[in-house]
Amino acid sequence: MGTILTSLKLSKNISNTGNIVYFISENSTLTQFDFSKEEEQFVHYQITELKHELIILNRYSHWIYLLLPKSAKTETALLERLRILGAKVSNHANANHIGSVHIDGTKAAAARVLAVAEGMLLNNYQFIQYKSDAKEKANRLKEIVIVSNSIDELEIHRLSVITEATLWARDLVNEPVNKLNAIGLAENISAKIRAVGGKAEVLNLQKIEALKMGGLLAVNKGSVDPPTFTVLEWKPENAVNAKPIVLVGKGVVYDSGGYSLKPGSSMETMKCDMAGGAAVSALVYAVASLKLPVHLIALIPATDNRVVGNAYVPGDIITMMDGTTVEVLNTDAEGRLILADALTYAKKFDPMLVLNFATLTGSAGRAIGSQGIVAMQSDARGFFDSLSESGFVVHERLVEFPMWDEYKEQIFSKIADLKNIGGAEAGAITAGKFLEHFTAYPFIHFDIAAPAFLEKADSYRGLGGTGIGVRLVFDFLKKLTSV
Ligand code: BES
Ligand code: ZN
Ligand code: ZN
């Protein structure tokens, strides 16, 4: 994988000779900088006339970055502005081959300082290892140093781990299926989780057959590669939860649509269809690395969805792990089939809460675009509200869609228990209702189809895989374990 990590450090001393970011306010006197008259005029003009939020001064031996974010309606909106400004600083640093940048955090609130660093770290990601000139193209920014007395080493470590986890999720998403099939994905994830003290078990084809996971097996029929079902666990002795939180992530390593073949242009990005699986794996990685006191399990059913002689076809009737029969009317609605079996499997853990992450429907993207996550809950109102609040904090915002029972009528089949597609309307919701059928516990489903993969870079979210969901659930778990 390609990620070159940027190191994040804490220092008590400001360097006056290095590249440095300062927070200023509209009425800052600027005397601390010992600017020349021209420099002071330049800064003043940028602030008052041009209303720039980031002012960059070339001091020849180093650069000075002045941050003056526009006022925002809420503190969380301000944090997002600061992440975006951090991304701009790192772009400038890389364009100028700068290796190290300090952030003067002595005059700003800890959360704001950390937000700038977070934007820089996430923005510094590149996926270029398949380029012949990857070495020359590699970002030069290698080190970010926060200067602060109020931020401690633990906070620095936490931010490093959570950004590293997010960037790992991006790597998994960005690797195409010819480099990472279901087995490769399962192996990659397991190795990474074991390395930080978590447990990982990969159920192979025989085990999946023995468990009668009819959904995963049906989708896999069109593949020459066997499916995998990865089970990850982090179970510390001091867990705050008696019953585990189970994360479920869609691991379709490539979605051609199967016989309900996708049109060419929609197929271009379908290596991203395991972004849910990547996000939940990255969460277990972060939680285990930081030894959070929470019992967590992740389930990642994985296969590609393709067309060969024996592939499943529209009209097939399949029997799911829990005995539910499903009339497959569209082989492109494959995600819900593999996830249904994972949701059934989750029952054996008697979970406190199940969080399902999936690039599930184009419908979710058409409704709200990539600015948020379509989410639905059943029997999990309190958890949902807490996650929703975390959504604003990390800027991975949730839009709640209803789970009203009337929508379920759309997926009743005349000849089987369910069919795998609803009508023309409310496609994200009927997909959610399909999943809900297989649950018997507090359940939240996140449809990340649009924000998981960007075809155009969007600030620190970058181009390609975004790693969405990781920072969101991590913030929620942090609250739950109150660390
Ligand atoms: N993987 C797709 C959903 C998707 C679309 C993800 C765009 C990322 C970007 C999913 O398997 C799918 O094809 N869903 C169908 C469902 C339909 C056939 C009911 C869709 O949304 O069109
Ligand atoms: Zn599909
Ligand atoms: Zn899919």
Side-chain angles (χ1 to χ4, degrees):
M1 306 262 153
T3 316
I4 302 159
L5 294 167
T6 325
S7 76
L8 181 66
K9 294 181 183 148
L10 184 64
S11 164
K12 305 271 174 227
N13 306 311
I14 292 196
S15 137
N16 287 319
T17 51
N19 308 295
I20 181 155
V21 177
Y22 293 101
F23 287 79
I24 59 167
S25 59
E26 206 108 19
N27 43 21
S28 291
T29 54
L30 306 176
T31 46
Q32 61 164 311
F33 300 110
D34 107 73
F35 286 147
S36 67
K37 204 168 175 66
E38 289 78 8
E39 280 173 329
E40 215 176 297
Q41 278 167 358
F42 170 75
V43 172
H44 186 74
Y45 187 77
Q46 294 249 322
I47 296 175
T48 53
E49 277 298 309
L50 303 178
K51 313 259 183 242
H52 281 177
E53 295 177 279
L54 169 63
I55 299 154
I56 304 174
L57 284 120
N58 184 351
R59 305 220 101 191
Y60 304 108
S61 62
H62 61 280
W63 297 88
I64 290 180
Y65 302 95
L66 302 177
L67 295 184
L68 181 70
K70 280 192 197 113
S71 66
K73 282 193 196 124
T74 58
E75 179 63 20
T76 57
L78 178 66
L79 294 181
E80 177 63 2
R81 288 228 60 77
L82 289 168
R83 283 183 206 103
I84 293 169
L85 291 175
K88 289 188 174 153
V89 170
S90 65
N91 282 341
H92 179 274
N94 282 314
N96 290 281
H97 291 196
I98 288 171
S100 170
V101 172
H102 282 58
I103 303 172
D104 175 10
T106 57
K107 292 193 181 61
R112 297 185 185 181
V113 178
L114 291 167
V116 174
E118 184 173 43
M120 292 178 73
L121 290 166
L122 291 171
N123 187 70
N124 209 30
Y125 174 80
Q126 292 177 292
F127 185 77
I128 55 169
Q129 76 267 32
Y130 296 113
K131 281 185 171 290
S132 306
D133 58 350
K135 267 218 168 72
E136 290 110 82
K137 289 239 164 68
N139 285 341
R140 301 302 207 279
L141 181 61
K142 295 283 180 296
E143 181 190 68
I144 297 165
V145 183
I146 291 181
V147 182
S148 169
N149 289 313
S150 60
I151 296 171
D152 60 23
E153 290 287 356
L154 179 66
E155 284 171 285
I156 296 287
H157 182 54
R158 236 189 247 149
L159 181 58
S160 300
V161 170
I162 193 64
T163 48
E164 184 201 342
T166 305
L167 302 188
W168 173 47
R170 288 185 188 179
D171 270 344
L172 292 173
V173 171
N174 289 332
E175 288 290 352
V177 66
N178 71 327
K179 303 287 179 189
L180 202 69
N181 61 12
I183 292 195
L185 180 70
E187 282 173 355
N188 184 314
I189 293 170
S190 303
K192 190 105 174 161
I193 296 304
R194 287 183 192 129
V196 291
K199 271 201 330 198
E201 189 191 359
V202 180
L203 311 186
N204 62 14
L205 175 63
Q206 287 69 34
K207 195 76 209 275
I208 291 165
E209 281 171 346
L211 287 166
K212 299 191 162 64
M213 292 185 162
L216 180 54
L217 289 165
V219 177
N220 183 251
K221 274 176 80 184
S223 174
V224 295
D225 298 326
T228 55
F229 189 95
T230 303
V231 184
L232 308 174
E233 182 168 33
W234 168 247
K235 189 178 185 183
E237 271 173 15
N238 58 347
V240 295
N241 50 337
K243 297 186 202 183
I245 293 177
V246 178
L247 308 169
V248 176
K250 175 175 173 182
V252 172
V253 284
Y254 187 75
D255 184 9
S256 73
Y259 273 98
S260 310
L261 199 63
K262 286 182 183 294
S265 64
S266 329
M267 241 189 266
E268 285 173 8
T269 59
M270 280 304 138
K271 65 176 183 181
C272 82
D273 216 14
M274 33 55 71
V280 301
S281 303
L283 268 158
V284 178
Y285 175 78
V287 167
S289 300
L290 294 166
K291 302 192 181 347
L292 283 203
V294 60
H295 182 193
L296 205 61
I297 291 169
L299 309 175
I300 304 114
T303 176
D304 48 341
N305 181 26
R306 293 215 210 202
V307 189
V308 290
N310 199 36
Y312 78 145
V313 292
D316 278 359
I317 296 173
I318 63 175
T319 304
M320 310 295 280
M321 185 181 177
D322 75 341
T324 301
T325 55
V326 176
E327 184 186 10
V328 175
L329 290 178
N330 191 317
T331 61
D332 197 13
E334 83 298 337
R336 65 196 74 184
L337 299 175
I338 74 167
L339 291 165
D341 286 338
L343 294 170
T344 298
Y345 190 85
K347 287 177 191 161
K348 77 169 193 172
F349 301 110
D350 185 21
M352 166 180 122
L353 170 67
V354 175
L355 304 176
N356 183 78
F357 280 86
T359 44
L360 203 62
T361 66
S363 163
R366 283 191 294 278
I368 68 160
S370 59
Q371 286 305 324
I373 303 175
V374 165
M376 286 156 252
Q377 61 83 29
S378 62
D379 196 23
R381 168 53 54 207
F383 295 127
F384 190 98
D385 291 344
S386 176
L387 276 152
S388 194
E389 190 185 87
S390 291
F392 284 104
V393 173
V394 304
H395 207 74
E396 295 184 353
R397 294 163 294 181
L398 305 185
V399 178
E400 186 173 8
F401 276 21
M403 278 278 210
W404 299 326
D405 276 333
E406 288 79 356
Y407 290 108
K408 194 167 181 184
E409 291 162 20
Q410 286 195 38
I411 53 166
F412 289 145
S413 162
K414 291 209 170 61
I415 59 171
D417 299 331
L418 297 178
K419 54 184 179 179
N420 78 331
I421 49 167
E425 291 171 349
I429 302 175
T430 50
K433 291 303 282 183
F434 186 94
L435 297 179
E436 186 194 33
H437 176 90
F438 300 87
T439 67
Y441 36 68
F443 175 60
I444 306 178
H445 159 53
F446 303 84
D447 193 331
I448 56 170
F453 191 91
L454 303 178
E455 292 183 63
K456 215 176 107 223
D458 174 23
S459 180
Y460 65 87
R461 277 169 285 274
L463 176 75
T466 59
I468 196 163
V470 183
R471 291 164 57 244
L472 171 73
V473 178
F474 188 80
D475 189 77
F476 164 77
L477 294 175
K478 228 167 57 180
K479 281 188 283 183
L480 198 82
T481 55
S482 58
V483 292

